[in-house]
Amino acid sequence: NFLVKYGYLSPHQSTRTRDELTEATSTFQRMYGLAETGLLDQDTLTLMRQPRCGLWDDVDRQSIEKRKSLVRKKRYTLMGNWPSKKITYGFRMYTDDMSTVQQQDAVARALEVWSRDTPLVFTQVSQWQKDVNIMISFLRGYHNDGYPFDGPGHTLAHAFYPGQGDRSGDVHFDADEKWTYKAEGGTNNILFCTTDGTNLFMVAVHEFGHALGLGHSTSQGSVMLPFYQGFKDGIALNQDDIQAVYTLYDHVKDNLLSRDEPFVFASPTLGSTSGVYRENRGIPSTQSPELCEKKFDAVANIRNEIYFFRDNYFWRITMNGHRYNRVKMKRFWQNFPDVTVDAAYSRGSKIYLFSGTRYWTYTDTVMDAGSPRPISDFGLPMHGGIDAAMVWYSNGGTYFFKGRKFWKYDEELRRMESGYPRDISVLRDVPTNIDAALTNPSDQSVYFLKGTRCWKLDDDLLSVSKGYPEYIGVKWFGC
Ligand SMILES: [Ca+2]
Ligand SMILES: [Ca+2]
Ligand SMILES: [Zn+2]
Ligand SMILES: [Zn+2]
């Protein structure tokens, strides 16, 4: 039954030979890294019984790929795309298991997983608006789409690939599951420590992948693995997921006419495994995906050059735009430990590097005595570190950012200015939880970085400048 339901055996055959069953079982075992016995042994049955997504596994392509995988093949399948990177979503039917605010939050955070590392932008709209891309419903049993749910357990949800049909992009959650809400990072809060039930956020991350055009994956760590794995903190797309989104959407040009443009390729509906598979066209760029597709940990203006930090390395761009290759932190800053830089800023010959609740100061490339020190020196809270730091040229102040708060530090008096922290919403349209911030040496403007994009601040209006956000790669790396 499982082998038929998820695409391992054809449903249009009344009799099957033992060989066909063995072959189908082997295929399943091969795809998920089990011992390839061809028998329904304990490990195999355990995995088959796990709660999962209702869509088919992409059997033919993946099993063939794995068989001849001398070279690492693309481990994702593409099922179609929307004609725009700006994608709308809405709710048609809510569940009673939690408040609508919680459902909207879980969904918004799930979409944030998809927008964080990709060029996609999501907007919630009313269910009455015409042509909503992704419509969300909680439904039970037979619900008139030919794919009935199965009561509590096993099948948790399914979704429809992008296309022009009424249901395209729609996501259905099985209303017979007990859906739970848990905020990311909420593990310390006893109220959110639910171990039973099915986490809406986790399942939503997976189903939105289908609604964006991705099929099931067997890639380690992919959010498109079909089995439910319980709540995981800090879930993110893996490299294959990100590559799939770029392949689907990179060529999509957003303009006013985009809604009327023909779809680029065929859009099979749910259950089909005959999606048109496109070879990766590559990222149109002179630079590597390292610089065009990934976020940075921190960025700083040091002596009018921009330093981009990621994973113990940095890239440097001079004022006239010359780009230097990646350099290991400790090759430049003496004795700097193997930690990730959360934030960095510089004044004169002093450089301040932050990681967690500690910071290091350097005079040029020499570490100052006493480093590292606790960030409470600045009056910053001693939990979790900070998101970003910068010197704001137009007023000379040092600023720190964390979550939705920011502080202004008085370097003369060595304390935070009164009235801080303030809410980042006073800087209109600047996102919360930014990755990095700096004053750009070439135009003396403040830029906030988050994911693959940056926001330029208009100093006078204290709001985001026209034309932003822009891609970091486009702005600085010639992507
Ligand atoms: Ca179910
Ligand atoms: Ca950061
Ligand atoms: Zn799925
Ligand atoms: Zn359905």
Side-chain angles (χ1 to χ4, degrees):
N1 185 32
F2 177 98
L3 293 169
V4 174
K5 186 170 179 185
Y6 297 109
Y8 293 83
L9 281 171
S10 162
H12 307 297
Q13 261 176 285
S14 46
T15 54
R16 290 191 190 86
T17 65
R18 193 165 292 275
D19 280 355
E20 284 171 327
L21 280 171
T22 307
E23 173 63 26
T25 307
S26 300
T27 303
F28 174 78
Q29 290 166 335
R30 184 164 56 238
M31 280 176 62
Y32 295 103
L34 299 171
E36 225 178 296
T37 60
L39 302 170
L40 293 170
D41 50 35
Q42 201 51 53
D43 285 353
T44 307
L45 287 172
T46 303
L47 187 57
M48 284 180 172
R49 284 177 189 141
Q50 267 187 35
R52 59 164 288 158
C53 171
L55 266 70
W56 287 16
D57 292 337
D58 193 28
V59 174
D60 293 329
R61 198 167 296 123
Q62 285 176 347
S63 56
I64 291 162
E65 265 177 31
K66 285 223 164 171
R67 233 172 282 169
K68 58 176 185 186
S69 62
L70 291 172
V71 186
R72 185 174 174 279
K73 291 289 189 322
K74 292 278 169 291
R75 277 185 278 182
Y76 48 83
T77 33
L78 307 175
M79 299 302 213
N81 65 297
W82 298 106
S84 168
K85 293 187 183 83
K86 293 171 190 152
I87 291 163
T88 55
Y89 71 98
F91 284 84
R92 183 162 286 144
M93 290 167 79
Y94 290 95
T95 171
D96 296 331
D97 295 348
M98 61 184 90
S99 73
T100 57
V101 173
Q102 286 176 324
Q103 291 171 62
Q104 290 182 8
D105 179 61
V107 159
R109 281 185 294 112
L111 289 168
E112 158 76 11
V113 169
W114 286 98
S115 61
R116 196 184 297 149
D117 299 318
T118 72
L120 300 178
V121 180
F122 299 98
T123 315
Q124 188 177 349
V125 296
S126 145
Q127 62 161 305
W128 308 114
Q129 184 170 318
K130 224 170 111 60
D131 299 330
V132 178
N133 298 139
I134 301 175
M135 191 55 89
I136 297 155
S137 307
F138 290 81
L139 300 158
R140 59 167 47 87
Y142 287 88
H143 53 277
N144 299 319
D145 63 6
Y147 302 91
F149 281 129
D150 55 1
H154 203 63
T155 300
L156 305 174
H158 56 222
F160 295 81
Y161 298 117
Q164 287 164 312
D166 266 1
R167 287 196 197 100
S168 300
D170 288 4
V171 174
H172 296 167
F173 296 98
D174 188 343
D176 281 330
E177 309 303 331
K178 181 178 169 12
W179 294 101
T180 59
Y181 171 80
K182 177 174 167 181
E184 244 184 309
T187 37
N188 294 327
N189 190 330
I190 197 82
L191 285 175
F192 293 135
C193 280
T194 348
T195 47
D196 59 342
T198 307
N199 185 265
L200 177 59
F201 163 76
M202 291 298 293
V203 176
V205 169
H206 175 91
E207 296 303 329
F208 287 141
H210 292 314
L212 294 170
L214 282 76
H216 280 155
S217 165
T218 54
S219 159
Q220 194 68 43
S222 168
V223 300
M224 296 316 292
L225 289 164
F227 295 98
Y228 176 67
Q229 289 158 62
F231 181 80
K232 275 189 286 188
D233 230 346
I235 185 179
L237 306 184
N238 80 356
Q239 207 48 50
D240 286 328
D241 300 328
I242 294 170
Q243 188 61 50
V245 173
Y246 271 91
T247 306
L248 284 169
Y249 290 94
D250 208 50
H251 62 286
V252 173
K253 293 275 168 285
D254 273 304
N255 57 49
L256 292 173
L257 296 173
S258 64
R259 272 196 175 273
D260 302 324
E261 284 171 4
F263 283 81
V264 175
F265 47 123
S267 308
T269 50
L270 178 140
S272 166
T273 54
S274 61
V276 178
Y277 182 65
R278 275 159 45 99
E279 280 303 311
N280 174 23
R281 302 164 3 129
I283 310 302
S285 143
T286 55
Q287 294 291 332
S288 68
E290 279 292 289
L291 296 170
C292 300
E293 298 177 33
K294 290 167 78 176
K295 65 175 193 165
F296 292 93
D297 296 330
V299 59
N301 176 339
I302 300 174
R303 295 176 181 274
N304 283 325
E305 294 183 343
I306 311 179
Y307 287 66
F308 291 86
F309 300 88
R310 185 197 296 140
D311 292 341
N312 225 252
Y313 288 90
F314 69 89
W315 289 260
R316 179 161 65 107
I317 302 181
T318 64
M319 190 129 158
N320 55 28
H322 185 79
R323 293 189 286 266
Y324 286 93
N325 285 333
R326 197 176 78 148
V327 177
K328 184 98 177 151
M329 292 284 293
K330 69 167 70 164
R331 281 194 55 203
F332 196 78
W333 284 291
Q334 240 178 52
N335 300 321
F336 191 74
D338 285 321
V339 296
T340 302
V341 177
D342 290 339
Y345 78 95
S346 167
R347 278 182 179 277
S349 60
K350 289 280 182 205
I351 293 122
Y352 301 80
L353 300 167
F354 294 77
S355 184
T357 53
R358 298 179 295 173
Y359 74 98
W360 288 255
T361 58
Y362 281 83
T363 304
D364 292 319
T365 59
V366 181
M367 191 189 285
D368 289 354
S371 285
R373 295 269 316 155
I375 61 172
S376 52
D377 284 0
F378 293 91
L380 285 164
M382 284 293 282
H383 46 83
I386 57 172
D387 294 339
M390 66 163 193
V391 175
W392 195 334
Y393 275 18
S394 62
N395 64 24
T398 301
Y399 287 79
F400 298 103
F401 299 83
K402 181 191 178 73
R404 52 181 315 121
K405 288 182 194 154
F406 71 98
W407 290 260
K408 185 181 183 187
Y409 181 70
D410 188 328
E411 298 271 1
E412 299 260 25
L413 298 173
R414 305 216 143 269
R415 60 176 167 80
M416 291 297 186
E417 287 200 13
S418 63
Y420 290 88
R422 301 188 66 186
D423 195 286
I424 202 162
S425 60
V426 301
L427 308 172
R428 250 189 78 204
D429 297 327
V430 172
T432 59
N433 300 304
I434 57 170
D435 294 331
L438 87 160
T439 297
N440 185 17
S442 60
D443 63 4
Q444 309 271 295
S445 289
V446 168
Y447 286 79
F448 299 99
L449 282 65
K450 180 175 182 176
T452 54
R453 295 178 294 167
C454 64
W455 285 254
K456 178 182 178 176
L457 189 72
D458 184 319
D459 266 356
D460 298 318
L461 300 173
L462 290 184
S463 75
V464 170
S465 298
K466 241 186 138 164
Y468 286 85
E470 167 68 281
Y471 295 107
I472 295 166
V474 171
K475 175 88 192 161
W476 282 295
F477 294 108
C479 296

